[in-house]
Amino acid sequence: MFIVFIGPPGVGKGTQANMLAEKYPMFKISTGDLLREAIREKTTLGERAKSFMERGELVPDALVIELVNEKVSTTSKDINSFIFDGFPRTIEQAKQLDGLLLSKKSSISVAVNFAMDEEERVTRLSGRRMCPKCQRTYHIKFAKPKIDNLCDYCNVDLIQRSDDDEAVIRQRSSVYWEQTRPLLDFYDQRNLLQTIDASRNIDLVFKDLDNFVANLKK
Ligand code: AMP
């Protein structure tokens, strides 16, 4: 099973992907997390991706596809269900992903569109916090850690992502509308698109997602 999560920054894709991967034997691939990891480890790819991310632009397709290819091919053969969080983000990436899955005699099972009102989304982003160690995301109001500002799992101080700065958020949003949103038509034309109202609370959003997955498993 291959699930694709699509949505502008701040709609809770990462949180929902983690919840799904905790409940089912599914492997989460978040290209944002992989890129941040590459930057921390100062790999050549990370060095090349860094300035695009700092500006809130998309990292070139070839680099992202290289990362995803590597991750899928090095994942244990026992795992055959994946959640792609924040990938694909362009039509070119979607086509390349189709090619990769075809080579595995597989295809996308569902593309989930996380829909949310613009103003609510920006408010949410400004309250987002991240664990610098495990990359889990929290929110100061909607997804609080058990102890204030500490990761529930790693016990380290949470941080605010540098690209959650307001100017960069605005840039990332316009990139979404121009380059990523066309993917909704791409998947809708193939009857693969499901839209979720992501402005509701985390558990209600997860209930919908869980239903999609349960139906796919039937
Ligand atoms: P995210 O954590 O998904 O919000 O991604 C953070 C940043 O990483 C984005 O603003 C892009 O610069 C970059 N990025 C993540 N995924 C992709 C992708 N699929 N294609 C291009 N750039 C990406």
Side-chain angles (χ1 to χ4, degrees), residues 29-99:
I29 296 189
S30 156
T31 43
D33 286 351
L34 291 178
L35 287 163
R36 280 183 288 275
E37 189 182 312
I39 292 175
R40 273 197 312 278
E41 288 175 0
K42 296 191 169 27
T43 66
T44 315
L45 194 148
E47 296 291 315
R48 287 171 65 195
K50 195 171 175 203
S51 61
F52 293 98
M53 291 175 74
E54 282 171 350
R55 289 195 299 269
E57 293 170 12
L58 289 188
V59 172
D61 290 339
L63 294 185
V64 178
I65 287 156
E66 185 184 323
L67 264 183
V68 171
N69 256 325
E70 192 192 309
K71 200 73 191 172
V72 172
S73 55
T74 55
T75 303
S76 156
K77 295 272 179 291
D78 299 341
I79 297 174
N80 48 23
S81 287
F82 288 82
I83 308 158
F84 292 103
D85 163 27
F87 176 86
R89 260 170 152 105
T90 63
I91 298 282
E92 178 56 26
Q93 291 178 16
K95 289 181 177 166
Q96 296 268 354
L97 179 60
D98 280 347

